[in-house]
Amino acid sequence: MAARGHVQDPNDRRLRPIYDYLDNGNNKMAIQQADKLLKKHKDLHCAKVLKAIGLQRTGKQDEAYALAQEVAALEPTDDNSLQALTILYREMHRPELVTKLYEAAVKKVPNSEEYHSHLFMAYARVGEYKKMQQAGMALYKIVPKNPYYFWSVMSLIMQSISAQDENLSKTMFLPLAERMVEKMVKEDKIEAEAEVELYYMILERLEKYKEALDVVRGKLGEKLTSELQSRENKCMAMYKKLCRWPECNALSRRLLLKNSDDWQFYITYFDSVFQLIDESWTPPPEEEPSLEGEVHYSIEQAVKFIEERITEESKSSRPLRGPYLAKLELIRRLRYRGCNDEYKLGDPEELMFQYFKKFGDKPCCFTDLKVFVDLLPSSQYTKFISQLLEVIPLSATAENEIALPADIKALQQHLCVVQLSRLLGIYHAMDKKQKLTVVRELMLRYRHGLEFGKSCLKTELQFSDYYCLLAVHLLLDLWLEGEETAVWQCLTLLEEGLSHSPSNAQFKLLLIRIYCRLGAFEPVAELYSSLDAKHIQHDTIGYLLTRYAESLGHYAAASQSCNFALRFFHSNQKDTSEYIIQAYKYGAFEKIPEFIAFRNRLNSSLHFAQVRTERMLLDLLLEANISTSLEESIKSMSLSPEEDDIPWKDLRDNRDLTVLFNWDPKDRDISEEHRKLSLEEETMWLRIRSLTLRLVSGLPTLSHTIQPKNSEKTAENGVSSKIDTIRSLLQQLEAAVDSGKKFLEQKIQYPVLGPPPTRMAGFFSNGSCQCQTSLFYLVSDIYELDTNGLEDSAEIQERIGNSFKSLVERLTDLFNKCKGDLIEVRDGTLKTHPNLLENLVFFVETISIALWVSSYCDSVLRPFKSNLQKKKKKKKESSVAMPPVFTHFLDYVTELQTLTSNVIDHIKGLEIILTALKLEELSLKDTLLLQEEKKFTKTVQGKVQSSYHHSVQEIGELLKKRLDTIKKLKI
């Protein structure tokens, strides 16, 4: 028997076809194959689980769950069943069930290393740190391997991080973890670098910096080898915490002697020198000044040290930027401190000029010098730029022609100067004519620069792309100054740039922003998907897409863009658990708290909360009372008016507001203040939207109650508490609206490439806000009528009648604000009116809420009417007076129907106008367009026209569906 080698388990052979079907996505065949197998082998648990996986993947979740629980109840211990159940529970997003599975398996097979480690990982997935600690120790007792022991230690640290009480963390969890590691140190059992890292992490969290330093400098520190300078960096961090500036200084000095291009050590070197000067430190007599060697404690020594680094650099084979920038950094610090010693280092203007001569042909030259331009006096800006231009080898072919660079190096140098000119505000000071001349020159340089990039691959950027971007920035300035044609020129140049450099993300991002500002969303969706945003970018730049999709009437694209973002946020939960497990397996313990902080940051993301809320409102707008009832839609979203799942106190703004390159001077750039105001505005708008969603989700809960007068009964049914919820939400909405209005009184203007403003201003100014709030107040009145009955409610009925009238007036006003041409041609120039489009979108939303409220009115009034008709038949009287509320309601519904029909006719008119627009007859004045540019201008205008046409069509389609719903509202 032994000679035959490994005998394959026959069950593996039987299950193989089912695995293959599942792997290939053929779930139905997998289910059939599993059923066949189960007829012959009823006790083959794994086949049942594989069938459940097939059912889960075909959307039969309940059946799958029932089958899985059937197997789980038998507490299987075979590997196949356990692994299959783990896969199934993961797909069901129920990781907590995996823990129960392995708890049972471990009880039955108590000495299995494999099951114990699976149990540990199952706990890690659900963040059960205490149980992880116990599982780690149990595992270490069975198999005394170091990693298992340290899994247990790390779980203690995780308990300390997640503990609400910081005191408990520092007095119980961390000291226990420290003692556990110390035990291993004393027994000389520390084997791996990860274990030393863990010890260091514990001491650092306990603020035992002296002990941590001893560990790093001692024998254990020798194991820290995986990262370059890992030991030195940790020593430096501890010296800083202990304020041991002499050691800090000597260590950074020593490291700079090794590598004079490491910027972080220059910063530490300067920090420590100035700390020592402030403390008037002098070296103690007769003894070694510091553990780390010589200490510099005066400005003279620092100046000399930097000069020596520059001298050394001049001998090196590769030019290093660090020493030259360090000199400028030292001047900046001396000037900030008001010292008079900066003359010892030289004139900053001359130093920057020399730096440019040495490194001007490197793309990083601009970003290096950008930090130090404020060392120049503003009166010297023009002189400085001229000085730089003089050293660039440019050659003109004829006398009046622009001098152009002959190679890529000269082009890079010239580009650097143009970027500095923009940064120093030289272009901002020009008048319109000068700016247009510069735009022409930049575009000429751009097209000339394309010669150098002929061999570039499609995925590479052209060397001269920045010329095109800078030209567009100048045109944007002109547009903001009221020059309408400039914005079309921006789009033309960017589309041209993109045709030569299809992978340039800056072109795409700028196009996205400008198209959105003009109200054209259609080209944006394609541009965004070509950016190929990955992972975290859905959170950092996703706002560029989700802010405009719905508000510009592209409902299908809005739905899709919300899905993209939500898919990322939901998968983050699952993925992070996997990263944490990998970190345990490979001993990367210091990464585990980072992964958890990352997950928490994403869960509290402002963008996540916005997308969730807008997605649900959008789904209701597109489906509720059209394809499914409002009640069913709300039920499928598990929405409840009482629950608010947005972490208001912990909201994190993860948007990247500097994703677009910018060369503006500080006073025109995005400031911290802008960021704070934008976050405040976004949070207010989110609150309004979230409350609107919760109010709508409360409508079905108020459904008609049988015994209107018996108020005790209704309280028992919990319905009166439902109306209290609605009223409380309404008060919160009023408060949110008030704070929003106060905020808008500040009339904040963000920079054109800064954060996009929310839709709040339009929501207030076009009257949607007043309409929506009065609709929710109407709900409260109708509810009152429902509980009081028709007899004693003349006053309520009158109030409802007046509400109906004022609502129709307000909705008509809102419609009037949607009238006008979306695109008009004025003096041969195109002008778009995106605000009309946004108003139309708000109108559709408001009319939808009006219909949902009307359905509720209908559900209340219908039973009253049938009761009256029954009475009429009993009494055989022809003149039982109909209460006025019925007439009011019928008039209101008729007027809603008429109004909606008028809006649909208006939209048809808009479609006809948009189709008839002959854009090719337009000639953009003042631009002296080249033939090449005319082609792109045509493309751009075509895209904007097509986008508006698409928006109007989608809005019209949705309104038609809403009109059909209104026609059904006849009590």
Side-chain angles (χ1 to χ4, degrees), residues 450-469:
L450 293 174
E451 299 292 319
F452 303 123
K454 281 185 172 170
S455 61
C456 285
L457 299 171
K458 268 192 173 178
T459 48
E460 292 177 319
L461 308 188
Q462 289 290 337
F463 297 107
S464 58
D465 277 354
Y466 278 10
Y467 282 128
C468 183
L469 273 177

Side-chain angles (χ1 to χ4, degrees), residues 438-507:
V438 173
V439 169
R440 278 277 146 252
E441 185 197 323
L442 290 173
M443 285 313 289
L444 188 120
R445 290 185 180 285
Y446 165 67
R447 292 183 186 115
H448 168 258
L450 293 174
E451 299 292 319
F452 303 123
K454 281 185 172 170
S455 61
C456 285
L457 299 171
K458 268 192 173 178
T459 48
E460 292 177 319
L461 308 188
Q462 289 290 337
F463 297 107
S464 58
D465 277 354
Y466 278 10
Y467 282 128
C468 183
L469 273 177
L470 283 152
V472 170
H473 277 243
L474 274 164
L475 287 167
L476 281 176
D477 293 347
L478 287 170
W479 183 44
L480 292 178
E481 288 159 20
E483 188 60 43
E484 201 55 50
T485 49
V487 73
W488 296 99
Q489 237 182 314
C490 284
L491 291 171
T492 301
L493 299 187
L494 286 168
E495 288 282 5
E496 182 186 340
L498 198 58
S499 70
H500 297 298
S501 198
S503 295
N504 191 320
Q506 287 300 320
F507 287 160

Side-chain angles (χ1 to χ4, degrees), residues 520-637:
F521 188 79
E522 198 171 42
V524 169
E526 195 182 325
L527 282 164
Y528 187 84
S529 72
S530 73
L531 276 171
D532 203 14
K534 294 271 193 299
H535 201 70
I536 187 71
Q537 288 171 319
H538 288 300
D539 192 17
T540 55
I541 62 170
Y543 71 95
L544 294 170
L545 197 63
T546 51
R547 156 65 183 87
Y548 290 102
E550 185 192 348
S551 61
L552 295 174
H554 283 259
Y555 296 118
S559 213
Q560 204 176 1
S561 58
C562 286
N563 280 350
F564 276 147
L566 288 175
R567 204 173 300 142
F568 158 66
F569 284 113
H570 292 317
S571 69
N572 151 56
Q573 282 290 8
K574 198 171 67 186
D575 294 350
T576 314
S577 302
E578 296 311 311
Y579 305 151
I580 291 167
I581 285 169
Q582 294 307 318
Y584 270 109
K585 277 185 184 167
Y586 297 109
F589 296 123
E590 76 278 11
K591 293 290 168 219
I592 295 170
E594 288 176 28
F595 286 138
I596 287 173
F598 175 72
R599 177 168 65 194
N600 295 343
R601 183 167 175 176
L602 283 181
N603 287 343
S604 330
S605 160
L606 165 77
H607 184 57
F608 181 28
Q610 286 171 325
V611 172
R612 251 190 351 241
T613 308
E614 290 297 344
R615 174 64 218 257
M616 290 194 268
L617 278 167
L618 185 63
D619 282 354
L620 291 177
L621 194 64
L622 298 177
E623 288 163 19
N625 289 357
I626 293 178
S627 52
T628 56
S629 73
L630 178 64
E631 194 170 355
E632 281 167 19
S633 299
I634 285 167
K635 196 176 168 190
S636 71
M637 292 179 199

Side-chain angles (χ1 to χ4, degrees), residues 688-702:
I688 291 171
R689 301 297 279 169
S690 162
L691 287 165
T692 307
L693 177 65
R694 286 166 67 194
L695 278 161
V696 170
S697 73
L699 288 176
T701 62
L702 299 174

